[in-house]
Amino acid sequence: MPSHGRRRVAAAVAAAVLLALALRFVALGDRIFHWDEARVGYWVLQYAASGEWSYRAIVHGPFLFHVDEWLFGVFGASDAVARAPVALVGGLLPATAWLFRTRLDDVEVAALAALLALNPVLVYYSRFMRNDVLVAAFSLAALGLAVRALDTRRGGYLVAAGAVLGLAFTTKENALVYVGMFAGASALLLDERLFTARERSASWESELHDSIRSVGSGLLAWRRAVAGGALAFLVVTVVFYAPRPEFYAAFGDPTRLPEVIAAGTAGAWGEFWGTWGTSGSVSREHSYVAFLVDAVRTLGAASLMLVAAAVVGFLAERYVADEPRDFVLFAAYWAIASVIVYPAVTDISGHWSVVHAVVPMAVPAAVGVRVVADRGRSAYRSDDRVGVALAALVLLAAVAQMGAVTAETSYLMPQDQDNELVQFGQPGSDMRATLDRVERIAPANDGTDVLYYGSHFHVATDYDPTDPASVSGTDWFNRLPLPWYTERAGAVTDSTTRLTAPETAAENDTVSVATTDAPVVITRAEHYEDVREQLGDEYEGWTYELTARNTVVVVFVDTEAEGFAEPATD
């Protein structure tokens, strides 16, 4: 039966989960979709409409595609529904602290849960339809389940770890980086053991031999659980990566199963390597130093208290503790490596990459919190009021800093360019009212609903916007995040670079601003006067930032179009 103290820790972890879920779901749909959210959301809508899906590594793993496609069918497509899977997994992330209860003390477990619940980076990107929080959460959970397997000697935990690691691989390709981090951190622990062998009157050769023998005998003793975990991993990855509708067709025709399994394994690997491999299509030609500076700046602005606590915790564990714990050092090495490695492997300097350092960093940070708490309790026992006050002040300051930054970044200014977590592709303006008008107008209009004007938006060649490969390298991406909203509304879109009416009969089929019947016309701000002159007086324009800065657009809407006015409510 669990002790009273352990029940209190369980209650603290549960409270952290509830707080995390609340922080992630409240006003989840308020922020306008980011460029990256919109492109994935758009293709999820296409998948929902056609029932056809195949893995394309450039838009990452299939997890969000399949989960959101199902959610859209049940609840309808919206910003909040699209983000809900990430919010849910991010909200449950603090529960993983409970898996490490034999490797951390009670205060550290509760602190780890609180840090995972409150960290501003994790809160912001748990409210974001991207895979970073998903792969981090699933990877940490898989590690925790593997640790529980070792601590309890129960093979079922290892099977569960295989399944959850499979989920990590269905979210984003850098799940491979996580496996590499785990291997690298383990190698550093082994190196430390070999280096200190002389202090135990042993040679490094004998320590290495013993370690290899221990691993070998462990794999032999756990062969069924290891095989079960590998099978669970394979099943999860095949179920998610197998193309649709071929996957469902295989249930009616089992002879197609080998083809489906091959597509979900070797086929998916080939697509991944062709995109993200060493000779893949994605370029990583960027300044490593610039990306590293961006990451460090983000950590300093949004996670300063976490970093400070992690430094204290690591130093205390590494140099003060009588017996440094492997798990704490493992997490610290993992965190440091993540800060160093991700600027090299990522193709965009996105603040979301910091997620992958923050999650492991929370473990030594929890140790740092415990160190401060211990100082406070020691001061209390010795009647040192100043010491108690200082410890309480440090802990309160940490909570206040996390709370203030979370409130500012996720709720008060989630789209503002001064927000340290806002990436360039985030619209700087709240265009919700105009987008709502478009959603009301499109169903009642015949013909083109939205016309894009100007070379910035125009796509001159034939293309299929339902196919990510078809629009690659075109200016279709400059329209984002608008295609997510227009497609959700069922709007018919077109584009042109012609402003005035055609001058010859041969050009009569050419779309122009002057002759369009589209109730919505979108253009860059520098074309405002020209477009304004060609449209009737019934059009009214609204100006917005389509990105965080320097992409000002004007949305002209026909104020006489059916659906322009918001329906009256009783």
Side-chain angles (χ1 to χ4, degrees), residues 74 78 110 142 158 188 196 364 369 380 389 400 410 415 450 496 541:
V74 175
S78 70
L158 205 57
L188 287 175
T196 57
V369 171
Y380 177 78
S410 289
Q415 298 178 212
V450 179
T496 184

Side-chain angles (χ1 to χ4, degrees), residues 247-310:
F247 174 74
Y248 302 115
F251 288 97
D253 182 6
T255 61
R256 301 184 64 178
L257 272 175
E259 174 189 347
V260 169
I261 292 174
T265 52
W269 175 261
E271 167 65 17
F272 155 73
W273 194 252
T275 302
W276 297 103
T278 54
S279 59
S281 59
V282 175
S283 172
R284 295 186 183 85
E285 294 182 1
H286 60 261
S287 167
Y288 171 80
V289 173
F291 277 34
L292 177 62
V293 169
D294 287 346
V296 172
R297 183 184 296 116
T298 300
L299 281 170
S303 297
L304 183 60
M305 288 299 179
L306 182 80
V307 174

